[in-house]
Amino acid sequence: MSHSSPGPDDKDPAKTFRIGHKERDDAIEVLREAAGDGRITVAELDERMDRVQAAKFPVDLDEVLSDLITELPSDRFRPASAISAVDGRARPVAGWDRFDPLVIRAGWESEVRRAKWAVPPFVRVEPAMSNIELNFLEVDTDLEVIEVDIVAGMGAVIVVIPEDWAVNVDQLSKTWGSVRSAVNAVPAAHRPLVRVGGSIGMGSFRARFANYFDRRRMAK
């Protein structure tokens, strides 16, 4: 039995990646602001909100919002060019472009980033079934903001920061999961802020400072 080769649409994440509550809520907020500004009527608001609720993929939201915003929902899921200039130096786009973040996935095995790892400004974590730890204790960076976007799953996300860093979870939503932060929400002057958004789903999120095991590991 023969199978046809996959077409371009089969590889387009904007047409294959399922959206969730956060993406629909963001789209509805855009519509409400547009209605409040008089750019669409109340009847149009109702009709477009129904289309948002029925949307399955980012491109479905594009069709509803394309005449209201310049950055479409699908932009977040589509990579830009292969090279980007940052601070005058050419860098791979992955992680250095908002629409092509560094993606860290945890399927059946946990994923851990520790020690002196290269941290870009845009990170997306996908704790589908297992846990993901982002440990920044030994990271040397001049970034002042690190955006971490969580895609809902069943695993846990743990963020570990130095005492002069901070974590903001105001944009992180949850369904059945839990969100706990035992760290500062405002960093020391010119120190990094880890801004966490997205949805934790049925998993959990925890932000903390170094514990006994972290200090013991770094002392070796």
Side-chain angles (χ1 to χ4, degrees):
M1 183 176 181
S2 63
H3 297 276
S4 61
S5 300
D9 287 357
D10 297 329
K11 299 179 181 180
D12 186 348
K15 298 181 180 179
T16 58
F17 190 94
R18 289 270 185 165
I19 61 173
H21 296 307
K22 181 182 185 301
E23 289 81 9
R24 294 189 185 92
D25 289 345
D26 289 346
I28 288 174
E29 184 60 28
V30 171
L31 294 176
R32 286 174 174 164
E33 289 183 3
D37 293 341
R39 290 185 288 150
I40 60 175
T41 66
V42 173
E44 287 176 307
L45 172 63
D46 291 340
E47 185 268 335
R48 294 193 190 203
M49 287 178 65
D50 287 341
R51 291 169 62 189
V52 167
Q53 294 297 348
K56 295 180 179 179
F57 306 104
V59 291
D60 297 331
L61 297 180
D62 288 358
E63 296 176 1
V64 182
L65 305 176
S66 61
D67 58 345
L68 299 175
I69 55 178
T70 56
E71 293 184 2
L72 298 175
S74 63
D75 291 342
R76 171 188 166 200
F77 298 88
R78 286 175 171 148
S81 58
I83 298 294
S84 174
V86 178
D87 295 333
R89 294 173 291 174
R91 299 179 185 269
V93 161
W96 292 89
D97 188 302
R98 179 180 299 278
F99 304 118
D100 187 20
L102 170 66
V103 179
I104 302 174
R105 298 185 177 93
W108 296 107
E109 296 184 0
S110 296
E111 290 290 328
V112 178
R113 294 292 189 276
R114 286 183 184 151
K116 297 179 183 285
W117 61 289
V119 179
F122 304 105
V123 181
R124 185 167 77 231
V125 295
E126 302 178 2
M129 301 296 293
S130 299
N131 303 336
I132 295 176
E133 178 181 324
L134 303 180
N135 191 309
F136 298 100
L137 292 177
E138 297 173 79
V139 167
D140 182 16
T141 180
D142 57 1
L143 294 172
E144 293 197 6
V145 178
I146 300 168
E147 303 276 359
V148 176
D149 184 40
I150 301 178
V151 177
M154 299 182 68
V157 176
I158 302 166
V159 171
V160 187
I161 62 169
E163 293 188 359
D164 54 355
W165 286 38
V167 174
N168 184 296
V169 295
D170 291 346
Q171 301 301 313
L172 179 60
S173 63
K174 59 180 180 172
T175 51
W176 297 98
S178 63
V179 175
R180 293 185 295 165
S181 178
V183 302
N184 301 323
V186 179
H190 306 298
R191 299 299 289 155
L193 168 68
V194 180
R195 183 181 293 133
V196 184
S199 173
I200 198 62
M202 298 180 68
S204 64
F205 174 87
R206 180 160 59 105
R208 63 173 176 82
F209 293 126
N211 60 21
Y212 168 79
F213 298 102
D214 293 315
R215 291 189 289 269
R216 182 176 178 181
R217 175 179 55 81
M218 291 188 295
K220 291 182 179 179

